[in-house]
Amino acid sequence: MKKILATSLLVVLALTGCNTFKGFGKDVSKAGDAVTDTAEKTSDEIRRN
């Protein structure tokens, strides 16, 4: 019984961790997009001047 409970708990924690990392990945991706946009705008401004 204890092995089943422990295994179930590990599975739940693993699935929760996957969702957390998936959300973290999306946040990092959005931050990367913002940096890219800023770099492109800066590059355009430099070329114009």
Side-chain angles (χ1 to χ4, degrees), residues 2-40:
K2 287 183 181 182
K3 287 184 180 182
I4 293 173
L5 180 61
T7 302
S8 298
L9 182 60
L10 287 173
V11 168
V12 168
L13 289 174
L15 291 175
T16 301
C18 289
N19 288 332
T20 300
F21 280 108
K22 185 176 180 181
F24 179 73
K26 288 180 181 179
D27 292 341
V28 170
S29 179
K30 286 181 184 178
D33 290 343
V35 170
T36 299
D37 290 344
T38 301
E40 288 174 351

